[in-house]
Amino acid sequence: MSKVEQITGGLNGTIKVPGDKSISHRAVMFGAIAEGTTTIEGFLPGEDCLSTIDCFRKLGIHIEAQGDKVKVEGKGWEGLTEPSEILDVGNSGTTTRLMLGILSTRPFHTVVIGDASIAKRPMSRVTDPLRQMGAVIDGRNNGNLTPLSIRGGQTKGIDFISKVASAQVKSSLLLAGLQSEGVTTVTEPHLSRDHTERMLRAFGVDVEIDGLTVSVKGGQDLKAQHVVVPGDVSSAAFFLVAGAIVPNSQIVLENVGVNPSRTGIIDVLQQMGAKLELINERESNGEPVADIIISTSDLKGTEIGGDIIPRLIDEIPVIAVLASQAQGKTVIRDAEELKVKETNRIDTVVSELRKLGAEIEATDDGMVINGPVQLRGNTVDSHGDHRIGMAMAIAGCVANGSVTVENSEAIAVSYPNFFDHIKKLT
Ligand code: S3P
């Protein structure tokens, strides 16, 4: 449980948000299947990425981790060995889905479990195509729900048209494709984050990209790399919103990854009238990076839907908080995917923000928020979802009365020093 009080003197100063969660997972996994020693700096030591390390250690890979520095002793694809224990992914959908792609091509048996949230999340979006490629996968609900059992082997390439824009689906199939016969092609309806494509290329893999279609040939090996992980724009999002809505604020966020497939939040802030500036734009390890300055702003409501949704899907909980402080109506549509995140984020955002007095309605594929509303203190619940917990804490910064966030421990999944950063800026 954590308590947040209204901030009247503003949030001011500079912070460096923790490493990108998506890139941290991939750096460990790609290092584990590559030949040689991969070194990672800027790694996110959050619970999700620690679950990935734990799973790959159980698969026989020696991994040293100290804070944000990680060393992965890869021995190529053949270096992965049959685990004697069940692999526990904790709360991490990325670990589950990407690892299933890798395990589908390995000639041994594995059992994968996770926490109560993972047990509800749909896995058939990867297990169905991986089965078509030749992997033997079973589990509850005909292989849709954990615990899952996987017996990998010689797989065949697939030409897969995905119904959802999901980087986890795309990445899982591409990883399996690297050790399958022939070519594996994935086409998605909108562009999802492309960290897998960028990092596979950095690890020496040939990846073909044609619009929304990505292909890899089978029989490709990875070569160990030094990976520098930029700050996570999805973690920065909480302070971008806080900086915009808390009076008298100016925050500098250093070293934030600004890959265009992730920066929908910046577009939305600008669309809503936020005072935001990107400086020191540079490239680090194939990923664009910048420092971002955000100041208290007069905000207006907006419409969010279509192609931008995968570019901000994880930021919608905190965008709802932002919209509650903007003049007029904000409509979020085409975001059904929110229903299958760590919680049903349409339901949890709406129920928790209403407890603070927000004017917010759920729709079939998103939500409608009217603002500005003076939020009030109350007790809310993260429902075990890190991003709901942080969004509520940011709402607490502008509520008149203290906001108690129950089950705030979940925040350690992606942002272990979140409350320290609020304190530092206050
Ligand atoms: C992720 C992809 C997204 C995102 C998740 C991380 C990734 O999920 O919501 O937090 O690292 O590939 P989907 O692929 O389910 O959209």
Side-chain angles (χ1 to χ4, degrees):
M1 186 194 86
S2 304
K3 208 169 182 176
V4 182
E5 303 292 341
Q6 184 173 22
I7 295 169
T8 48
L11 289 165
N12 287 283
T14 300
I15 53 169
K16 206 170 165 184
V17 297
D20 187 279
K21 184 155 78 67
S22 294
I23 297 177
S24 295
H25 281 301
R26 286 160 173 79
V28 170
M29 292 192 201
F30 297 4
I33 54 177
E35 302 269 1
T37 302
T38 287
T39 44
I40 310 169
E41 65 176 88
F43 177 80
L44 165 65
E47 285 167 8
D48 264 14
C49 300
L50 296 176
S51 295
T52 293
I53 290 186
D54 179 59
C55 289
F56 281 83
R57 279 181 177 150
K58 289 185 174 137
L59 287 162
I61 305 301
H62 182 75
I63 304 175
E64 279 170 40
Q66 208 156 44
D68 74 345
K69 300 224 171 4
V70 179
K71 206 160 138 189
V72 186
E73 313 269 359
K75 291 175 281 182
W77 289 94
E78 309 299 327
L80 299 180
T81 51
E82 188 167 67
S84 56
E85 291 170 80
I86 290 173
L87 304 185
D88 187 348
V89 301
N91 189 244
S92 176
T94 307
T95 310
T96 318
R97 297 197 179 106
L98 270 60
M99 191 169 65
L100 283 169
I102 293 173
L103 294 175
S104 288
T105 69
R106 297 301 87 208
F108 54 71
H109 178 255
T110 318
V111 177
V112 174
I113 59 160
D115 69 5
S117 153
I118 280 291
K120 292 193 209 145
R121 298 184 65 185
M123 296 301 157
S124 57
R125 52 180 58 194
V126 293
T127 56
D128 282 351
L130 290 170
R131 279 165 160 171
Q132 280 177 44
M133 293 174 83
V136 179
I137 304 179
D138 207 351
R140 287 188 302 132
N141 192 226
N142 191 26
N144 182 35
L145 300 173
T146 58
L148 291 167
S149 117
I150 305 103
R151 180 168 291 282
Q154 184 53 62
T155 43
K156 295 187 300 295
I158 190 176
D159 190 347
F160 187 70
I161 312 240
S162 181
K163 287 202 195 86
V164 286
S166 161
Q168 294 178 0
V169 171
K170 174 172 64 177
S171 305
S172 180
L173 303 187
L174 291 175
L175 285 165
L178 291 178
Q179 285 293 291
S180 299
E181 273 169 32
V183 177
T184 293
T185 299
V186 183
T187 303
E188 46 185 358
H190 306 277
L191 184 68
S192 66
R193 64 193 66 190
D194 64 357
H195 304 301
T196 293
E197 296 90 308
R198 288 173 188 254
M199 203 188 288
L200 280 178
R201 282 181 171 166
F203 274 73
V205 167
D206 259 345
V207 182
E208 260 186 52
I209 303 172
D210 180 10
L212 298 172
T213 300
V214 188
S215 313
V216 293
K217 280 202 193 85
Q220 298 202 59
D221 293 325
L222 286 72
K223 283 184 248 10
Q225 296 298 315
H226 179 63
V227 181
V228 183
V229 182
D232 198 324
V233 67
S234 296
S235 297
F238 296 100
F239 288 99
L240 289 173
V241 169
I245 66 176
V246 173
N248 310 312
S249 297
Q250 182 169 72
I251 307 175
V252 181
L253 296 151
E254 283 181 340
N255 190 42
V256 182
V258 288
N259 176 321
S261 65
R262 297 284 301 280
T263 48
I265 176 69
I266 293 175
D267 297 357
V268 162
L269 277 160
Q270 283 171 335
Q271 222 165 280
M272 294 176 79
K275 287 188 212 146
L276 174 149
E277 199 188 341
L278 265 66
I279 56 166
N280 295 330
E281 290 188 62
R282 55 205 185 266
E283 188 154 312
S284 165
N285 243 231
E287 290 280 351
V289 175
D291 302 335
I292 308 177
I293 308 173
I294 181 86
S295 317
T296 309
S297 312
D298 287 327
L299 300 160
K300 53 183 191 296
T302 191
E303 303 230 343
I304 304 170
D307 273 355
I308 199 173
I309 293 295
R311 299 177 53 233
L312 50 66
I313 189 74
D314 291 343
E315 286 63 77
I316 291 177
V318 79
I319 288 174
V321 175
L322 177 72
S324 78
Q325 302 307 299
Q327 183 72 47
K329 185 157 89 170
T330 294
V331 182
I332 302 173
R333 53 171 76 93
D334 305 320
E336 305 82 345
E337 275 292 301
L338 290 175
K339 295 178 184 169
V340 291
K341 294 293 176 190
E342 285 82 333
T343 54
N344 175 334
R345 285 185 177 158
I346 296 182
D347 289 354
T348 47
V349 167
V350 170
S351 70
E352 299 315 297
L353 266 184
R354 276 196 181 161
K355 291 180 189 165
L356 304 181
E359 270 185 43
I360 178 167
E361 299 279 344
T363 62
D364 275 353
D365 64 349
M367 52 194 88
V368 178
I369 307 116
N370 274 301
V373 164
Q374 173 58 61
L375 299 179
R376 54 175 186 267
N378 203 346
T379 297
V380 291
D381 196 333
S382 78
H383 295 269
D385 183 333
H386 53 134
R387 300 202 201 278
I388 299 296
M390 288 185 276
M392 292 308 131
I394 297 303
C397 296
V398 293
N400 62 359
S402 48
V403 169
T404 300
V405 184
E406 285 184 334
N407 294 308
S408 56
E409 318 78 64
I411 291 171
V413 155
S414 66
Y415 203 154
N417 53 346
F418 174 75
F419 286 108
D420 298 337
H421 279 176
I422 295 193
K423 219 177 278 162
K424 184 178 176 209
L425 295 170
T426 307

